[in-house]
Amino acid sequence: MSIVVEHDKRRKEILEKALDVFVAEGFEDATFQKIADRCGITRTTLYIYFRNKKEIFNYSIKQLLADVEKDLYVVRRDKKLNCTEKLIKVLATIIDRLEENRRLLSVVLNYLLYLSKSESDPDNRVRRRTIRLRHILATMVIEGIRAGEIVPLNVRAADDLLYGLIEAAIFRLVVLRRSSVAELKHSAELAVRRLQTNPAAAAVSPELSPA
């Protein structure tokens, strides 16, 4: 057991160091050797944990998405919240995770630009990675409609709207380098409130209103 724990600990350390290399060099110019050098280990040792730089990069993204899904699972099981409150909290939680991982997101953006230059389809790659997240959002919208809290609407269109807010958050955090996420959370809550069946419930929480 201690060997497994030590192995996982070393993998996390490598991911942190590799992120430094990706941020400094960009995905295209980052190499397996540069990552090994930053970690203070040989390429042979690095091969014990990862096969190549792409696997390191993919693992980082997979870990981020897994952490987000764990957070959302906790929110969805909170019986103190109704459907729309859960949806608002889910979006706020995602935005917080994005803010915490803005360095990784900058590398992801760099990688997508790299794919575009190589005539690959970055949109298809992103959709495959985020399909579970989109499914969670769509399911929550359906639950809200069935509970009578959200007006009957096209679920796919609502899902696109909510997912679009997440994409906008990434753009603001990485490209525009906004330092605060309060405005993003406010916009997300406002969008969800506008889907509610009860107009009186559409007031935005004071703590999420931008100053």
Side-chain angles (χ1 to χ4, degrees):
M1 179 64 72
S2 60
I3 295 177
V4 174
V5 172
E6 189 63 34
H7 184 83
D8 290 342
K9 180 181 178 183
R10 175 56 70 89
R11 282 172 72 92
K12 289 180 180 179
E13 291 172 352
I14 291 173
L15 290 173
E16 283 295 321
K17 296 293 184 180
L19 184 56
D20 292 337
V21 177
F22 284 130
V23 171
E25 305 285 344
F27 179 85
E28 191 172 359
D29 294 328
T31 66
F32 208 58
Q33 183 62 58
K34 288 178 181 178
I35 294 172
D37 292 341
R38 182 63 66 95
C39 294
I41 58 179
T42 64
R43 282 170 58 96
T44 302
T45 301
L46 186 54
Y47 277 123
I48 296 174
Y49 302 93
F50 298 99
R51 290 175 295 180
N52 49 51
K53 73 172 185 179
K54 188 174 182 180
E55 184 178 46
I56 295 174
F57 177 66
N58 288 337
Y59 190 87
S60 297
I61 298 174
K62 183 179 179 181
Q63 189 62 55
L64 170 59
L65 292 174
D67 289 341
V68 169
E69 287 186 22
K70 287 179 183 178
D71 290 342
L72 303 194
Y73 179 76
V74 173
V75 174
R76 295 186 67 192
R77 286 179 60 86
D78 190 344
K79 296 181 179 180
K80 297 178 182 178
L81 304 175
N82 62 32
C83 293
T84 50
E85 288 170 341
K86 287 180 182 179
L87 195 50
I88 290 168
K89 190 168 183 179
V90 156
L91 291 172
T93 299
I94 292 173
I95 291 172
D96 282 335
R97 278 291 185 179
L98 295 177
E99 196 278 331
E100 292 170 6
N101 292 273
R102 66 169 71 207
R103 292 175 67 238
L104 174 58
L105 294 176
S106 70
V107 179
V108 172
L109 180 59
N110 176 268
Y111 176 66
L112 294 177
L113 291 173
Y114 166 74
L115 289 180
S116 296
K117 289 190 294 183
S118 62
E119 298 184 358
S120 296
D121 184 1
D123 183 59
N124 184 52
R125 296 283 186 97
V126 172
R127 284 182 177 276
R128 288 208 314 267
R129 287 284 184 181
T130 58
I131 189 169
R132 285 172 59 87
L133 177 58
R134 294 183 69 112
H135 177 71
I136 290 173
L137 294 175
T139 299
M140 295 184 72
V141 170
I142 292 172
E143 290 172 351
I145 294 173
R146 288 176 176 172
E149 295 179 33
I150 293 178
V151 296
L153 42 64
N154 184 301
V155 175
R156 183 170 183 176
D159 190 45
D160 284 341
L161 168 65
L162 299 177
Y163 185 73
L165 292 171
I166 296 173
E167 290 181 324
I170 294 173
F171 178 80
R172 291 189 184 190
L173 287 168
V174 179
V175 179
L176 302 182
R177 298 185 180 183
R178 298 282 177 85
S179 58
S180 173
V181 295
E183 194 175 292
L184 295 170
K185 290 182 180 180
H186 170 74
S187 298
E189 178 173 0
L190 188 62
V192 175
R193 294 294 186 192
R194 291 298 179 263
L195 301 179
Q196 286 184 278
T197 54
N198 180 7
V204 179
S205 301
E207 63 270 20
L208 289 182
S209 299

